[in-house]
């Protein structure tokens, strides 16, 4: 028996079958509303609900002649209904059906993404807690700065992901609108009651005002929220890639026993998933830009946005769903090397404690300029000669005039730099 492939949840949303099913639901709900207004007879509504069915292949064949997908859709569902078919699409325009059903699909897709983001937050939270007090070097400009902890780095990513969650929720609220207001949004041939009825049944709100379409700033916000979230994932992926460099070696993507890193070099273990996420984020940003190009349309509408949205909305939601799931797996299975982190902390022979020494000298009466120049001079000397920084300071008469050897050595205590970790974690809710 051949096992049938089941599409992922996100991909199922964007199938042609689902699109036409959503459009049919809008049409039937509109008929229900018109029936309540006593415009469509109850018997006609009964026939429409009983007999209206879609046939995707038939719609495609009809569209070859009509060159209009909604007309082809209406003709297809009308074939089996009989006389009651005259009430299908009564008073509506194509975008009433297309835009409202698209809003339903977009809310369904972003609900999946919101679930994905929450899972990633939990993975980052677990890593943050586990490595809360594991010291590593902080870097600015790619150069060793001062100690942090790997847990703090994960807490930083957790908090950014939480902001993405809020942006996505806001985007959902913005896109969860429908419109059933007729050809130019004036309700000339369709009562506002129909719009309110249909939207409520679909879990949407009715747009306060519309033209022939829902305004595309809504869709632009949706796709920009997706792009920002994807860019955050790229940021995380870029950091993990940098930390996996051979010269750094502090973290590594999980590498299975059967995995191959290179066709020519058997020793290679490459951060391929992080690189994949980095590339995909570029597509999301390009799609977000295209969505903003869709905002200014001619008068009450033109159709220039339509072809673009058929690509960028499904692609962006499917991509981000994939990226979030992959990043969650990367974080969960990441190999962390605390020993290498400590080794790298010690690589510069203690110059990373320069600020603390400078501040101690200031506390003992030196001006900032005096303290800075003394510490910088010692740091540059030991870097050039590869000497232990704190030992060199202990030999410097200018420093020893104000600090004992024990006080100088105390400046190299890593716990000093991590003393507020609990405060940071409390504020981030970890």
């Amino acid at each position: 028996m051949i096992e049938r492939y089941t599409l992922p949840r996100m991909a199922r949303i964007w199938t042609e079958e689902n699109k036409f099913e959503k459009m049919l639901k809008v049409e039937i709900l509109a008929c229900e509303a018109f029936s309540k207004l006593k415009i469509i007879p109850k018997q006609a509504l009964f026939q429409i609900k009983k007999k209206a069915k879609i046939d995707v292949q038939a719609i495609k064949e009809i569209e070859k002649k009509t060159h209009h997908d909604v007309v082809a859709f209406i003709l297809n569902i009308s074939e089996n209904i009989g006389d009651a078919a005259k009430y299908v699409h009564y008073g509506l325009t194509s975008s009433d059906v297309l835009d409202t059903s698209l809003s339903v699909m977009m809310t369904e897709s972003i609900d999946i993404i919101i679930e994905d983001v929450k899972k990633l937050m939990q993975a980052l939270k677990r890593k943050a807690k586990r490595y809360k007090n594991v010291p590593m070097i902080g870097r600015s400009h790619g150069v060793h700065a001062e100690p942090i902890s790997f847990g703090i780095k994960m807490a930083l990513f957790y908090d950014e992901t939480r902001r993405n969650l809020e942006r996505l929720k806001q985007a959902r609220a913005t896109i969860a609108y429908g419109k059933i207001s007729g050809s130019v949004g004036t309700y000339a041939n369709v009562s506002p009651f129909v719009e309110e009825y249909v939207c409520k049944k679909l879990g949407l709100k009715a747009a306060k005002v519309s033209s022939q379409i829902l305004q595309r700033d809504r869709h632009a916000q949706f796709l920009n929220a997706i792009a920002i979230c994807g860019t955050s994932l790229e940021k995380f992926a870029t950091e993990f890639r940098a930390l996996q460099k051979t010269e750094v070696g502090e973290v590594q993507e999980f590498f299975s026993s059967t995995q191959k890193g290179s066709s020519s070099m058997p020793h290679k273990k490459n951060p391929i998933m992080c690189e994949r996420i980095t590339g995909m984020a570029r597509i999301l940003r390009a799609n977000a830009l295209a969505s903003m190009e869709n905002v200014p349309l001619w008068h009450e509408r033109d159709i220039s946005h339509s072809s673009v949205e058929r690509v960028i909305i499904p692609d962006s939601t499917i991509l981000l769903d994939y990226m979030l799931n992959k990043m969650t797996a990367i974080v969960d299975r990441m190999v962390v090397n605390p020993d290498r982190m400590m080794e790298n902390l010690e690589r510069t022979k203690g110059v990373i404690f320069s600020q603390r020494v400078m501040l101690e000298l200031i506390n003992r009466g030196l001006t900032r300029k005096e303290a800075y120049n003394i510490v910088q001079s010692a740091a540059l000397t030991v870097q050039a000669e590869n000497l232990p920084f704190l030992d060199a300071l202990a030999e410097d008469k200018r420093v020893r005039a104000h600090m004992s050897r024990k006080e100088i050595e105390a400046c190299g205590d890593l716990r000093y730099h991590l003393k507020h970790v609990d405060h940071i974690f409390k504020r981030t809710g970890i």
Side-chain angles (χ1 to χ4, degrees), residues 87-245:
Y87 294 113
V88 173
H89 206 65
Y90 186 89
L92 308 186
T93 190
S94 297
S95 291
D96 287 334
V97 181
L98 290 172
D99 278 8
T100 303
S101 58
L102 178 59
S103 290
V104 174
M105 291 187 285
M106 289 173 75
T107 55
E108 288 179 353
S109 66
I110 205 165
D111 283 342
I112 292 174
I113 288 170
I114 286 170
E115 286 180 28
D116 294 339
V117 170
K118 290 178 179 178
K119 290 176 184 176
L120 175 58
M121 288 177 67
Q122 290 305 309
L124 290 166
K125 188 174 187 177
R126 287 190 292 269
K127 272 292 187 290
K129 285 183 172 180
R130 182 174 179 179
Y131 296 99
K132 178 180 177 180
N133 293 301
V134 174
M136 66 180 295
I137 189 63
R139 298 170 174 91
S140 57
H141 307 274
V143 178
H144 285 206
E146 289 188 344
I148 60 170
S149 78
F150 189 64
I152 291 175
K153 190 182 289 287
M154 293 298 96
L156 185 80
F157 293 174
Y158 171 88
D159 199 45
E160 183 164 340
T161 304
R162 180 192 54 75
R163 292 195 298 277
N164 279 310
L165 178 62
E166 293 306 313
R167 279 187 282 266
L168 290 163
K169 286 180 178 179
Q170 290 167 7
R172 189 200 189 282
T174 298
I175 203 60
Y177 279 80
K179 63 89 57 180
I180 310 285
S181 55
S183 299
V184 288
T186 60
Y187 304 97
N189 300 301
V190 55
S191 167
F193 170 79
V194 175
E195 181 179 68
E196 291 286 347
Y197 181 89
V198 173
C199 288
K200 185 176 181 179
K201 289 286 186 178
L202 293 172
L204 305 175
K205 293 181 180 178
K208 293 178 180 178
V209 58
S210 58
S211 58
Q212 193 173 99
I213 58 170
L214 286 171
Q215 302 309 289
R216 260 43 197 178
D217 63 287
R218 296 180 184 276
H219 304 69
Q221 181 179 344
F222 181 94
L223 286 162
N224 273 272
I226 284 175
I228 294 170
C229 185
T231 302
S232 290
L233 298 182
E234 180 186 4
K235 168 185 171 178
F236 307 162
T238 299
E239 180 67 13
F240 297 147
R241 288 167 60 198
L243 295 177
Q244 187 165 336
K245 288 180 180 179

Side-chain angles (χ1 to χ4, degrees), residues 151-152 155-156 417 420-430:
I152 291 175
L156 185 80
H417 294 274
H420 294 302
V421 172
D422 287 339
H423 175 71
I424 294 169
F425 273 51
K426 184 178 180 180
R427 289 201 304 190
T428 55
I430 296 177

Side-chain angles (χ1 to χ4, degrees), residues 29-98:
L29 287 171
C31 289
E32 286 182 7
F34 275 115
S35 179
K36 289 182 179 297
L37 294 172
K38 303 188 183 308
I39 293 173
I40 295 179
K42 289 184 178 180
Q43 184 57 34
L45 175 63
F46 175 79
Q47 291 299 318
I48 292 168
K49 294 175 75 171
K50 181 180 178 181
K51 296 182 177 180
K53 293 179 176 61
I54 61 164
D55 182 330
V56 175
Q57 195 55 44
I59 293 171
K60 288 182 177 180
E61 290 301 317
I62 297 170
E63 190 181 353
K64 289 178 182 178
K65 298 176 182 178
T66 63
H67 299 284
H68 195 295
D69 57 348
V70 178
V71 171
F73 160 75
I74 294 167
L75 289 173
N76 173 246
I77 63 175
S78 298
E79 286 175 348
N80 301 318
I81 296 174
D83 290 343
K86 65 184 180 181
Y87 294 113
V88 173
H89 206 65
Y90 186 89
L92 308 186
T93 190
S94 297
S95 291
D96 287 334
V97 181
L98 290 172

Side-chain angles (χ1 to χ4, degrees), residues 157 226-244 253 270-287 319-320 322-324 326-327 330:
F157 293 174
I226 284 175
I228 294 170
C229 185
T231 302
S232 290
L233 298 182
E234 180 186 4
K235 168 185 171 178
F236 307 162
T238 299
E239 180 67 13
F240 297 147
R241 288 167 60 198
L243 295 177
Q244 187 165 336
E253 274 188 27
N270 302 324
I272 56 169
M273 291 312 307
C274 284
E275 290 173 339
R276 189 179 301 174
I277 288 170
T278 298
M280 288 177 169
R282 298 168 188 169
I283 299 172
L284 296 182
R285 289 194 292 274
N287 288 352
L319 267 180
L320 186 58
Y322 176 87
M323 292 164 67
L324 283 163
K326 290 300 179 185
M327 180 54 73
I330 288 167

